[in-house]
Each structure stands twice: as C-alpha cells, then as structure tokens.
Amino acid sequence: EGTVDYSQLTFDPGQNELIVGEAEWHCDEFTKGACFSRGKSEEDCQNYIRVLLVNGDRLFTCGTNAFTPICTNRTLTNLTEIHDQISGMARCPYNPVHNSTALITSSGELYAATAMDFSGRDPAIYRSLGGLPPLRTAQYNSKWLNEPNFVSSYDIGNFTYFFFRENAVEHDCGRTVFSRAARVCKNDIGGRFLLEDTWTTFMKARLNCSRPGEIPFSYNELQGTFFLPELELLYGIFTTNVNSMAASAVCAFNLSAITQVFSGPFKYQENSRSAWLPYTNPNPDFQCGTIDYGSYVNLTERNLQDAQKFILMHEVVQPVSPVPYFMEDNVRFSHVAVDVVQGKDMLFHIIYLATDYGTIKKVLSPLNRTMGSCLLDEIELLPPQERQPIRSLLILHSRSELFVGVRDQVIKIPLMRCNFHKSRDACVGARDPYCGWDLVLKKCTTLEESLSMSQWEQRITECPVRNVTVDGGFGPWSGWKPCSHSDGGSVGAWANDRRGSLSPSPGL
Amino acid sequence: EGTVDYSQLTFDPGQNELIVGEAEWHCDEFTKGACFSRGKSEEDCQNYIRVLLVNGDRLFTCGTNAFTPICTNRTLTNLTEIHDQISGMARCPYNPVHNSTALITSSGELYAATAMDFSGRDPAIYRSLGGLPPLRTAQYNSKWLNEPNFVSSYDIGNFTYFFFRENAVEHDCGRTVFSRAARVCKNDIGGRFLLEDTWTTFMKARLNCSRPGEIPFSYNELQGTFFLPELELLYGIFTTNVNSMAASAVCAFNLSAITQVFSGPFKYQENSRSAWLPYTNPNPDFQCGTIDYGSYVNLTERNLQDAQKFILMHEVVQPVSPVPYFMEDNVRFSHVAVDVVQGKDMLFHIIYLATDYGTIKKVLSPLNRTMGSCLLDEIELLPPQERQPIRSLLILHSRSELFVGVRDQVIKIPLMRCNFHKSRDACVGARDPYCGWDLVLKKCTTLEESLSMSQWEQRITECPVRNVTVDGGFGPWSGWKPCSHSDGGSVGAWANDRRGSLSPSPGL
C-alpha cells in the first residue's frame, strides 16, 4: 500500500518469480526523526530500495532507510526471514536521487559503486563482504572519480566492470560530462603503505558515442547499458546534457574494444601546468590472474606508484560502428534492454528503449553496414495524460517478457505479439523478427508456434513502412480503464483495447 | 539578367540609393577557362561580389572573378566608370563559399579578413592600400587563426575589430568551434626582423554566448553581428554546429567588456606538453595611440617576442546578461540587424533575425533584468514552397526600412506597419514600439504620425499575447502572386494580400 519507485527489479529463476521490492521494510521513527532534523523532507526520509541482488538462496538488499542506509540478507523463498542486517554505508546511497550500482560475485564479494556519505560528495567503487579485503577508489581524488553518476556494473572474467558518467577532468574547455568504462581486478588486495585499502588495478576509459562529421556531435552522457555475455557486446544509451537540447543515441561496444583500450597508453597530467599527454602502458599485457594464489600481491613500489598515477586511458573506446545504431532528437532514453531473437534466416537484436515520457521504443538493430536500424514499434504503457518516466526495465529472455517499473506500478509486456497481424502482408510487412506468416495455418505466428520453418515466411530486408504494417481491420484506440489483478493485488494496472492503430498495442 | 547571390548590400546616403551589386562585371573567358581547368564548376567560375564598400565618392568592390579575385574602384554616381583595377588577392576570397569581411577606414586603408589563396588554407587579416605598410596575421600559424570563418569587422577608435568563429586551439577535448573578437591597432606598422610585415598588436578573445546551468549549453558559432556605435554595443547571433541539432541565440556585448578582456591576462601554451595557462598581461594599459607620430614604432625585442607569443586572451568576453537575449531551438539564424526605436516612454531595441528558412523574426530586446525578450512578429518574405536562406540584411534607420537579399532578389520591408492594427486593443496589444494608438485620430500610428505624444497610447510592459494582437477583421492569407516593379526591372518580387493572420504581414 502506497509503495512507490519501482526502480529495482530482479528475477528469481528458481521460483519463476519477479522480485519487485521486498516484504514491508519501513524506517523506524527514530531514524526518520534524525533524517527530518537534518533538513530532509518526508518524501526523502523513507526507505528506498537501491540494491536487490539474488545471491544463491539469499536475497541481498539495501535501502536508503531515511539517509541511514542498511542492508539485509533474506531467504529468497521467504523474504520476511532476515538472516542478518548490516550497515548500508558504501553499499547503498544515502539519498534516493543518487545513482548507484552493485553486484555480488560467485565468491560472495559485493561490489558497489555509490556515494559513501550523507552529502554525496564522496563517491566510491567499494568492495566488501566475501573473503577478500575491503577496497575502495581513492577518496576525494577527482582523477579517480569526478562527481560520477553510476549506471551499471558487470562481473566479467577476472574483472568487475563499472559504467558511469562523470565530469571530465582531461581538458579545460568548460564543464563537460564524459561516459566511462572502468574496471578492477577481482583478486586485487590493495597496496601496502601506498594505496593501502585502495584498488591497485583501477583503470577507466572514455566511451565515445557520437554522430560523425567534421565536428562530431557527442552524446556525452551514458544513461543505461545492457550486456550480452555470449557476444561480449555492451549496448549503451547516451543522451545530451540535461541543460542541452534533448537527443539520444544507442551505441554498441565490443568488450574486446574496451579491453584493447585498457591495454593501450594512459593519459596523464604530470602537474597542473602540464597538458594531459599519452604515456606508454608499463604493463600492456596486464592480466589479473597471473599472480600467485590468484591474488594481485607482490607489487613493487614502482608498480604501486604507477597504479596511483595511471588511472585514465589515453584512447577512447569506439563503438562497433562509427554511426550510432539508433539516434533520435527531442527525446531522452533512460533504460535499455536487448533481446536476441531467432528469425527465419538469422539472429536479430531487438533493442527496447525506455523514453522519458513513458513509452518503450522497439528498435531492430542494424543488420549490416549498409542498412541502419529500424523503429518497429512504440509501445504506450500508460494513458497519454498519465505519462511518467520509466524507472526500470527487466527483460526475461526465457519467457519473452519485458517488465517495466514506473512510479507506482510494474507493467509486464509480452514481447511476442504476432497475432495482432491479421493478414500476410501485415505480418511480413511488420518486419518483426519474432513473427512470420505460417502458410499452412494462415496466420501470423512465432517461430515456435509455426508448424515448420519451411512454411514460415519472414522477410526482414528493410524497415517497415508506417501505416501499412497492421491490418486495416482495427478501429481507433478505446479509452484506458483500470483493471484488477487476478491475484487481487492492490497495485493498479491499466489496459486498453485497441481496434486499430499504426502499431501493435501492448497486451498488458 | 540571371544575377544571383545578393549577399552584399550597401547604401549610398548621398544619392539615397541602395547598391545591391554593380554594373555588369563578368569574368573574361580566359579566366573562366583557367578556373574550369582547375576542376571548378560553371557555377563556381563566375564573378561573385564579396566586397562592396562606399569610400567617399568612390565605390570599392571586389569579386571572386572565377577564382582570380579582382577589385575595382568606381565612381559612386556612375558605377560603370572604373578608376583602377587591382588584384583581389588578400582582399576577397577565391571561392565564393568562403566567408570574408572588409572595411575601409577614413584614412583609406583597406582591412580585409579572407582566405588568401585558391585552396582557402591560408586565411589572414590583411591591411593594404592607404598610406600605411601592408600587414597580415602570421601565416600558417593556427594559434593566430585556425580555419576561421570571418563574420564582420568594425573601425572603432584606434582599433579595427574583427569577429569570426574558428576551431578552438586552447583545449584538447575534441574539435570545437569558438567565436572570437580580435583587434589590431590601426597605427600598427609591424615588427622588425621579428614579426616583419606582421601585426604586432593582434589579439583575440573568446565570445561566450550560452544558456546557463550546471553544465552551460554553448552556442559556439557566431553567424552575424550588428554594432550600435552610439551605445558601443554589439549584438551577435550564435548557433550550434551544423552537425549538431539546430539552435540559435542572440547575445549582446558591451565594447567595454571586450576591451576589459583585452587588458587582462593572456592564455598561453609554453610548449606542446604544457597546459594552456594564464599569463599576466605585460602591458595592461595598452593604447595604440601613445607612440610617437601616431605609429606603433620603437618596439623593443621583448615587445615583439611578447606580441608573437601572446595572441589569445585568458578571459572570455561575457555578454551583457548571463542568459542570452533570445534563444530558439530547431532554427539557425544567419543575419541580424537592430533598430533603436523611440517609444512613448523610452528607447527600445528591435532585433531582426534572418532564419535559415527565409523568414525574419522581429524580437523586442529585454527591457530589464526581470523581463525577457518578446517575439513580436515573424515576417514571411516568400511563399512557403519557395523558402530559401537569406543572404544579407541591411537596415536603413533613417527611412525605417529593412533590405533583405536572397538568391535572386532583394526585398524591401517597411519597419513601421502600424496601420495593420485596426482597433485600440490590437494596436496597444501588439507591444510594438513603433506603434501607438492615437486617441484623437482613433487609429494606430507611429509616433511621428500622431498629433501629440500625450494622446499617443503605448504600453510595452509584457510580451504580446499571440492570437489577440491583430484585429479580427482580417480573413485568411490569400495566395502569393508575382508582381512587377514600377521600374520594369526584371527581378521578380512576390506579394500577398492578407485578410487576417496572427501577425502583421510584410508590405512588400
């Protein structure tokens, strides 16, 4: 009752359950009072869940708890059962508006990137729990982190990767935000004297996503990412600054391109009177795991000096293609999810983009170098007068479902909606990789539903032509009306019937 | 017949004549042939007039002349009478697409800022003619001029000022264009050995026009200026880069703010491994005129070294108000003209802005710090389907007329059009400083037309409300139709009758 801000969604595959928040978990009155006394509002002094991670049979979760962050470990199958409660400091932001990201590795370490203090002036990438010593990024050092907004984190091979945007330090042409990929070795145990309790393997690089041209137009600010582990491919959505005109782009990066930049020269400023210049990487074949016992020990004094000095890579990580996969003006994308779909002839990537006005754009990733991406559909989640930003996006590949969190509800969208296309022309013309025309069944089906692939017609060679992709048998949209859940839940949902529109409607 | 590109307009006050081009002045066939043989097109290999300056009873004019620029001196009252013809090199661009600017001082020197060569790789600010030695900016030195696009030039006091945009050199965050004000002393005679034949007084500073915010949004590229000498106030229009989303802004700069920056520290990079750092100005009270004979002689070796080294000012010239006077997204302004209008209670500045789609926006400059500017009107010059960029804008204050050059015609717009407002509400509600309601005549008149200022009602305290500024007695616009000139000239013009619209129409 009264729950808001569905910004964290996670899935429990064991029970086939979406975990959208938790059992009731309020701040106590004393904590709330302390929060008020520090000048925060009633709205701020609540418990906003910011970490929600499945860890074996446990759920690890942290909340802002009225600017006094705490974390709990709960039984995944019974969320009211709390095993232990620890401080959320360095694991969860104090302020619900501060962005953060966290993950737990298979060996049980928690990596969190968040503001460490009440004011939010002390951001860090921090490791705790598990069996390895706690480590953080150097404190109050703008060359490590400069007013970052953390976006995402991934556990990949020997490294933990973090993606964020931050104020650029490497130039003096006015304040600009740059997007970054950073990484640390999971077996880093910190330095001795120098870099004590601090990462010795922290590096970061700029991510470039820009419209090419004599003077490229940069989408500087990373807002969301989606990683496809099998392809080692990272999709990122980038926007202009909030004070600039709204524009967004999607760029995709190969993990190998990121790795390559981390093996290249560093960018370093000797002192405040020097330019930022490239410096040869002292250890271009750097691997975390080559050290005894899997830990990054036996560092020489020189190693540590280098580790303290060389943080930023000189080269910029370039996306897979010089032109962004998708660009749109006058809109800000906030979240991205990608589905890899088996079509008749090949695999397709479908990119789902959450817009700042509460719709989901469904985009077909470019098929080759000559053909750009296609906007397949724009899914309206809410009645036009109730539009609001999207707070989370979770795709469930196994069930072809997309979960969308907004302020006060979670919406489920089935991704395969072939039966909306009533004619062969509409079905094939939609260019939707999920759908094809079954020549025997004489209807638009998914590949699974069709009787045989040889009788399943799909032609994805160009973008769909607007206005002709849907059978003309539909009428105009009906109004929206609230509907009740079959489980009698109190969270409202909306549905509308459609008798016709330019694009298929969501089935809510 | 067949004349195009009315990019240069000038007025001969003696004869009350607009000089829009010249007498017929073609390239000869030999020159054209040479132009073709260098790979240029028929269109490029014409004579495009790029300099058109009244100089006493002479008209000094230069044309690109099929990539072989030449200049002529003609009798102002008889343009076919040519006194002398000289090379246009360093006075006029070779290529008609290269921007240039030029002026002649009262003592007869020509100051031109233009590309000096066929390829356009050698830009310069060059002084020639008159009694002083020819001087230029240092050749192939990107710290002096870095791929500039020259916009305008003014002869002010002891200095000649140049306004342009160029690739920024003072940072390394990717290619960016910055806008500049530069100046030289008119009595500069160059250096000896060091800076021989080169300016010893050249300085430049960045002009800032940006939307404020945590990360300001910069309108980096100066497109046009208008200088009000009595107020020593420069209006500039700035846009985003052509590869970026279109957006434009108007900023106004006090000449004193520019002068102050030129008295402050320089920005200098010791070597390519150094940062750009501020250096104390060795001569903060710099005046051109304090030297013997009015010439800037007796420079020491040290003076010349400083002059060669210190080109760029550290401080940025800030506009009169931190927020631009006027901003608009999704449009690029190309030219600006300003009229100072005596209203009932005060003087008003009316800014005329040429848009990239061929209309003129009429904007009332902010009256005070709390009130912003008002868009008063948008004047359509051409039928919608014939929209094209505007190439020149010339305001004739004495006659309250605005001349607009487009590709193949010049359009005259009377600035006072009070009689379009038929009712008192419409007249006063238009908030047009040119107009007031005469309570005796019972009509909307200019201040001059009214019988007495005490009976002339004008209330400019807020912006006009759209849709209510014009008397509802009008019907919709009629179609456009060609009309013939009274002098039978072959250049076409267009007119349309209006029976009603949201804003007054141009009277062509």
Side-chain angles (χ1 to χ4, degrees):
Chain A
E1 185 82 58
T3 304
V4 295
D5 188 31
Y6 290 99
S7 69
Q8 306 299 319
L9 303 176
T10 196
F11 195 73
D12 170 10
Q15 296 187 92
N16 233 351
E17 272 184 359
L18 182 73
I19 301 169
V20 294
E22 276 204 271
E24 291 221 351
W25 185 15
H26 293 294
C27 327
D28 61 47
E29 287 307 313
F30 174 79
T31 309
K32 265 191 155 174
C35 185
F36 292 147
S37 72
R38 297 185 76 171
K40 299 294 171 184
S41 69
E42 172 72 33
E43 198 183 346
D44 288 339
C45 297
Q46 303 292 332
N47 191 22
Y48 290 90
I49 308 301
R50 287 293 177 263
V51 177
L52 195 65
L53 298 167
V54 171
N55 181 23
D57 57 355
R58 298 285 165 86
L59 182 77
F60 181 78
T61 176
C62 309
T64 60
N65 190 42
F67 278 77
T68 316
I70 49 170
C71 302
T72 55
N73 245 320
R74 293 161 188 255
T75 303
L76 191 51
T77 52
N78 178 8
L79 296 184
T80 54
E81 190 174 76
I82 297 177
H83 294 269
D84 51 280
Q85 177 167 321
I86 57 172
S87 163
M89 212 264 262
R91 301 181 178 110
C92 175
Y94 287 61
N95 191 330
V97 307
H98 286 155
N99 293 321
S100 66
T101 177
L103 62 82
I104 295 177
T105 61
S106 55
S107 54
E109 282 85 25
L110 173 77
Y111 289 79
T114 181
M116 299 273 281
D117 61 345
F118 185 91
S119 68
R121 301 256 168 77
D122 181 18
I125 294 175
Y126 182 75
R127 181 179 70 193
S128 61
L129 311 180
L132 290 166
L135 291 182
R136 59 163 293 170
T137 44
Q139 193 173 28
Y140 302 130
N141 184 329
S142 62
K143 291 190 176 175
W144 287 56
L145 292 169
N146 193 10
E147 301 185 30
N149 268 283
F150 298 108
V151 169
S152 61
S153 49
Y154 300 98
D155 176 3
I156 306 172
N158 293 328
F159 299 98
T160 309
Y161 284 84
F162 295 88
F163 295 90
F164 55 97
R165 57 185 193 271
E166 65 170 351
N167 287 345
V169 286
E170 65 263 42
H171 66 72
D172 58 351
C173 59
R175 247 171 105 108
T176 311
V177 171
F178 278 173
S179 296
R180 306 284 191 199
R183 71 174 192 193
V184 292
C185 283
K186 287 192 284 186
N187 60 4
D188 193 339
I189 56 164
R192 278 215 326 204
F193 307 113
L194 211 57
L195 294 179
E196 191 131 24
D197 305 327
T198 308
W199 300 108
T200 64
T201 58
F202 179 74
M203 299 178 188
K204 65 181 182 183
R206 185 178 172 200
L207 293 173
N208 173 45
C209 182
S210 55
R211 193 189 305 172
E214 199 192 344
I215 300 197
F217 177 67
S218 286
Y219 300 89
N220 275 328
E221 306 199 6
L222 185 70
Q223 301 293 340
T225 66
F226 192 87
F227 186 62
L228 291 169
E230 308 78 23
L231 300 172
E232 299 204 320
L233 185 68
L234 182 91
Y235 278 88
I237 48 172
F238 296 77
T239 68
T240 52
N241 182 260
V242 71
N243 194 40
S244 172
M245 296 173 72
S248 300
V250 179
C251 284
F253 300 87
N254 283 317
L255 185 64
S256 60
I258 299 175
T259 307
Q260 201 184 319
V261 167
F262 282 128
S263 303
F266 289 93
K267 203 184 203 86
Y268 177 66
Q269 186 188 31
E270 190 77 40
N271 61 56
S272 65
R273 298 183 61 88
S274 312
W276 285 84
L277 295 170
Y279 281 74
T280 307
N281 191 326
N283 194 2
D285 300 316
F286 178 80
Q287 300 283 338
C288 306
T290 52
I291 318 291
D292 287 349
Y293 304 107
S295 282
Y296 199 61
V297 292
N298 298 327
L299 290 165
T300 64
E301 180 78 11
R302 177 62 192 269
N303 293 151
L304 289 173
Q305 282 167 354
D306 281 350
Q308 190 174 41
K309 179 171 150 179
F310 293 137
I311 299 294
L312 178 64
M313 308 318 297
H314 180 68
E315 303 289 341
V316 171
V317 183
Q318 301 298 344
V320 170
S321 65
V323 180
Y325 271 14
F326 186 68
M327 292 183 278
E328 195 171 323
D329 288 349
N330 300 310
V331 64
R332 293 181 190 283
F333 302 144
S334 60
H335 298 81
V336 59
V338 178
D339 199 10
V340 179
V341 181
Q342 177 64 60
K344 186 176 170 77
D345 304 318
M346 58 185 285
L347 289 171
F348 296 94
H349 291 200
I350 303 281
I351 311 167
Y352 294 93
L353 299 166
T355 68
D356 53 352
Y357 54 93
T359 67
I360 305 277
K361 290 194 186 254
K362 178 178 171 183
V363 171
L364 177 61
S365 196
L367 303 183
N368 52 50
R369 286 182 182 274
T370 54
M371 188 182 148
S373 55
C374 297
L375 175 63
L376 296 181
D377 196 0
E378 181 165 9
I379 303 167
E380 310 256 353
L381 300 176
L382 295 162
Q385 68 278 15
E386 301 198 12
R387 283 180 167 180
Q388 49 163 303
I390 287 169
R391 310 218 174 182
S392 51
L393 207 57
L394 179 71
I395 194 165
L396 203 54
H397 297 287
S398 60
R399 296 166 55 134
S400 292
E401 285 172 346
L402 188 66
F403 294 94
V404 186
V406 295
R407 186 177 177 279
D408 56 358
Q409 53 189 293
V410 177
I411 299 161
K412 182 173 86 173
I413 303 171
L415 299 180
M416 297 184 176
R417 295 177 296 143
C418 303
N419 58 340
F420 279 102
H421 306 292
K422 300 299 184 196
S423 73
R424 179 173 165 180
D425 279 0
C427 180
V428 176
R431 319 282 179 199
D432 185 338
Y434 295 111
C435 303
W437 184 256
D438 190 298
L439 295 163
V440 176
L441 295 176
K442 295 210 186 311
K443 60 180 211 172
C444 198
T445 68
T446 63
L447 186 53
E448 291 71 41
E449 289 165 340
S450 81
L451 297 177
S452 110
M453 202 194 266
S454 64
Q455 285 158 357
W456 193 65
E457 189 185 359
Q458 186 183 63
R459 269 201 312 272
I460 299 177
T461 50
E462 56 189 67
C463 289
V465 181
R466 276 283 195 193
N467 300 6
V468 300
T469 60
V470 169
D471 187 1
F474 292 122
W477 284 89
S478 70
W480 291 80
K481 51 183 187 287
C483 65
S484 59
H485 281 255
S486 56
D487 61 359
S490 63
V491 174
W494 290 86
N496 74 343
D497 275 334
R498 74 93 68 90
R499 306 268 168 252
S501 166
L502 301 185
S503 59
S505 82
L508 296 182
Chain B
E1 186 81 56
T3 304
V4 294
D5 188 32
Y6 289 99
S7 69
Q8 306 298 319
L9 302 176
T10 197
F11 195 74
D12 170 11
Q15 296 186 93
N16 233 349
E17 271 184 0
L18 180 74
I19 301 170
V20 294
E22 276 204 274
E24 289 219 355
W25 185 15
H26 294 293
C27 326
D28 61 48
E29 287 308 312
F30 174 79
T31 310
K32 265 190 156 174
C35 184
F36 293 145
S37 71
R38 297 185 75 170
K40 299 294 171 186
S41 69
E42 172 73 34
E43 197 182 345
D44 288 340
C45 297
Q46 302 293 332
N47 191 23
Y48 291 90
I49 308 300
R50 286 295 176 263
V51 177
L52 196 63
L53 298 167
V54 171
N55 181 23
D57 57 357
R58 298 286 164 85
L59 181 76
F60 181 78
T61 177
C62 309
T64 60
N65 190 42
F67 278 76
T68 316
I70 49 168
C71 302
T72 55
N73 245 319
R74 292 159 187 258
T75 303
L76 191 52
T77 51
N78 177 8
L79 296 184
T80 55
E81 190 174 77
I82 297 175
H83 293 269
D84 52 281
Q85 177 168 322
I86 57 174
S87 163
M89 212 264 263
R91 302 181 178 110
C92 173
Y94 286 62
N95 190 330
V97 306
H98 286 156
N99 292 321
S100 66
T101 176
L103 62 81
I104 296 178
T105 60
S106 56
S107 54
E109 282 85 24
L110 174 75
Y111 289 80
T114 181
M116 299 272 280
D117 61 346
F118 185 89
S119 68
R121 302 253 167 80
D122 181 19
I125 293 174
Y126 181 74
R127 181 180 69 194
S128 61
L129 311 180
L132 290 166
L135 292 183
R136 61 164 290 170
T137 43
Q139 196 173 25
Y140 302 129
N141 184 330
S142 62
K143 292 191 175 175
W144 287 56
L145 293 170
N146 193 9
E147 301 185 32
N149 267 283
F150 298 108
V151 169
S152 61
S153 50
Y154 300 98
D155 176 4
I156 307 171
N158 294 328
F159 299 98
T160 309
Y161 283 85
F162 296 87
F163 295 91
F164 55 99
R165 57 185 193 273
E166 64 170 350
N167 288 347
V169 285
E170 65 264 44
H171 66 72
D172 59 351
C173 57
R175 248 172 105 108
T176 311
V177 172
F178 279 173
S179 296
R180 306 284 192 198
R183 71 175 194 193
V184 292
C185 284
K186 287 193 283 185
N187 60 5
D188 192 338
I189 56 164
R192 279 218 322 207
F193 306 115
L194 211 55
L195 294 179
E196 189 130 24
D197 304 327
T198 308
W199 300 107
T200 63
T201 58
F202 179 74
M203 298 178 189
K204 65 182 182 182
R206 185 179 171 201
L207 294 172
N208 172 46
C209 181
S210 56
R211 196 190 303 171
E214 201 193 343
I215 299 196
F217 177 69
S218 284
Y219 299 90
N220 274 327
E221 305 200 5
L222 185 70
Q223 302 293 341
T225 67
F226 192 88
F227 186 62
L228 292 169
E230 309 78 24
L231 300 172
E232 298 203 324
L233 185 69
L234 182 91
Y235 277 88
I237 48 172
F238 297 77
T239 67
T240 52
N241 182 260
V242 71
N243 194 39
S244 173
M245 296 173 70
S248 301
V250 179
C251 283
F253 300 88
N254 282 317
L255 185 64
S256 60
I258 299 175
T259 306
Q260 201 184 318
V261 167
F262 282 128
S263 303
F266 288 93
K267 202 184 206 87
Y268 176 64
Q269 186 187 31
E270 190 76 40
N271 60 58
S272 66
R273 299 184 61 87
S274 313
W276 284 84
L277 295 169
Y279 282 75
T280 306
N281 191 326
N283 194 1
D285 301 317
F286 177 81
Q287 299 282 339
C288 305
T290 54
I291 317 292
D292 287 349
Y293 305 108
S295 282
Y296 199 61
V297 293
N298 298 327
L299 289 167
T300 64
E301 180 78 10
R302 176 63 190 267
N303 294 151
L304 288 174
Q305 282 167 354
D306 282 351
Q308 191 175 40
K309 177 171 152 179
F310 293 137
I311 298 293
L312 178 64
M313 309 317 299
H314 180 67
E315 304 288 342
V316 171
V317 182
Q318 301 296 345
V320 169
S321 65
V323 180
Y325 272 13
F326 186 68
M327 291 182 278
E328 195 170 323
D329 287 350
N330 300 311
V331 64
R332 295 183 188 280
F333 301 144
S334 60
H335 298 81
V336 58
V338 179
D339 199 11
V340 178
V341 181
Q342 177 64 59
K344 186 175 170 77
D345 304 318
M346 59 185 285
L347 289 172
F348 295 94
H349 291 199
I350 303 282
I351 311 167
Y352 294 94
L353 299 166
T355 68
D356 53 353
Y357 54 93
T359 68
I360 305 278
K361 289 192 186 257
K362 178 178 172 183
V363 171
L364 178 61
S365 196
L367 302 182
N368 52 50
R369 284 182 184 274
T370 55
M371 187 180 148
S373 56
C374 297
L375 175 62
L376 296 181
D377 196 0
E378 181 164 8
I379 302 167
E380 310 255 353
L381 299 176
L382 296 161
Q385 68 278 16
E386 301 200 13
R387 282 178 167 181
Q388 50 163 302
I390 286 169
R391 310 219 174 183
S392 52
L393 207 57
L394 179 72
I395 194 164
L396 204 53
H397 297 288
S398 60
R399 296 167 57 136
S400 292
E401 284 173 346
L402 187 67
F403 294 94
V404 185
V406 294
R407 185 176 178 280
D408 56 359
Q409 53 188 292
V410 177
I411 299 162
K412 182 173 85 173
I413 303 171
L415 299 179
M416 298 182 175
R417 295 176 297 143
C418 302
N419 57 341
F420 280 101
H421 306 293
K422 299 300 183 194
S423 72
R424 180 173 165 180
D425 279 359
C427 180
V428 176
R431 318 285 178 195
D432 186 337
Y434 294 111
C435 302
W437 184 257
D438 190 300
L439 296 164
V440 177
L441 295 175
K442 294 207 188 312
K443 60 181 212 174
C444 198
T445 68
T446 64
L447 186 55
E448 290 70 43
E449 289 166 340
S450 81
L451 296 177
S452 109
M453 200 192 271
S454 64
Q455 287 159 354
W456 194 65
E457 189 185 359
Q458 186 183 64
R459 267 199 314 270
I460 299 176
T461 50
E462 56 190 68
C463 289
V465 181
R466 276 281 193 195
N467 301 4
V468 301
T469 60
V470 167
D471 188 2
F474 292 123
W477 284 90
S478 70
W480 292 81
K481 51 183 190 284
C483 64
S484 59
H485 281 254
S486 55
D487 61 359
S490 64
V491 174
W494 291 84
N496 74 343
D497 273 336
R498 76 92 68 89
R499 305 271 168 249
S501 165
L502 302 184
S503 59
S505 82
L508 296 183

